[in-house]
Protein backbone atom coordinates (compact mmCIF):
# COMPACT_ATOMS: atom_id res chain seq x y z
CA UNK A 1 0.00 0.00 0.00
CA UNK A 2 1.30 3.45 -0.94
CA UNK A 3 1.38 6.01 1.86
CA UNK A 4 2.09 9.47 0.50
CA UNK A 5 3.23 10.89 3.86
CA UNK A 6 5.79 8.14 4.52
CA UNK A 7 7.11 8.37 0.96
CA UNK A 8 7.52 12.15 1.27
CA UNK A 9 9.49 11.80 4.52
CA UNK A 10 11.71 9.10 3.02
CA UNK A 11 12.36 11.25 -0.02
CA UNK A 12 13.46 14.16 2.17
CA UNK A 13 15.92 11.96 4.07
CA UNK A 14 17.35 10.45 0.87
CA UNK A 15 17.86 13.89 -0.70
CA UNK A 16 19.64 15.04 2.46
CA UNK A 17 22.05 12.10 2.31
CA UNK A 18 22.72 12.76 -1.36
CA UNK A 19 23.58 16.38 -0.62
CA UNK A 20 25.89 15.31 2.21
CA UNK A 21 27.67 12.95 -0.18
CA UNK A 22 28.61 16.01 -2.21
CA UNK A 23 31.17 16.74 0.48
CA UNK A 24 34.14 14.61 -0.47
CA UNK A 25 35.39 14.04 3.07
CA UNK A 26 32.05 12.63 4.13
CA UNK A 27 31.55 10.46 1.07
CA UNK A 28 34.98 8.85 1.39
CA UNK A 29 35.15 8.98 5.20
CA UNK A 30 38.58 10.55 5.59
CA UNK A 31 38.13 10.97 9.32
CA UNK A 32 39.32 7.97 11.30
CA UNK A 33 37.35 8.39 14.52
CA UNK A 34 33.60 8.45 14.96
CA UNK A 35 33.75 11.76 16.82
CA UNK A 36 35.59 13.58 14.03
CA UNK A 37 33.30 12.02 11.39
CA UNK A 38 30.25 13.19 13.33
CA UNK A 39 31.76 16.67 13.55
CA UNK A 40 32.31 16.70 9.78
CA UNK A 41 28.70 15.64 9.14
CA UNK A 42 27.46 18.31 11.54
CA UNK A 43 29.56 20.98 9.86
CA UNK A 44 28.43 19.91 6.38
CA UNK A 45 24.81 19.90 7.53
CA UNK A 46 25.20 23.41 8.89
CA UNK A 47 26.75 24.58 5.61
CA UNK A 48 23.88 23.08 3.62
CA UNK A 49 21.39 24.75 5.92
CA UNK A 50 23.21 28.09 5.68
CA UNK A 51 23.10 27.97 1.88
CA UNK A 52 19.35 27.43 1.91
CA UNK A 53 18.61 30.40 4.17
Amino acid sequence: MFDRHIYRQRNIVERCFNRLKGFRGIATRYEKTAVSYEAAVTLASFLLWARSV
Side-chain angles (χ1 to χ4, degrees):
M1 178 179 228
F2 179 74
D3 186 1
R4 183 179 301 268
H5 180 69
I6 292 174
Y7 179 78
R8 184 172 291 166
Q9 288 179 337
R10 180 179 172 207
N11 187 22
I12 291 170
V13 171
E14 287 182 8
R15 285 187 293 153
C16 178
F17 278 116
N18 286 332
R19 287 182 182 149
L20 284 173
K21 286 181 184 179
F23 290 88
R24 187 174 180 187
I26 293 173
T28 57
R29 183 129 191 212
Y30 284 137
E31 292 80 14
K32 300 299 181 195
T33 64
V35 173
S36 62
Y37 185 72
E38 182 180 3
V41 170
T42 303
L43 180 60
S45 299
F46 174 75
L47 291 173
L48 288 173
W49 173 80
R51 288 182 195 166
S52 69
V53 173

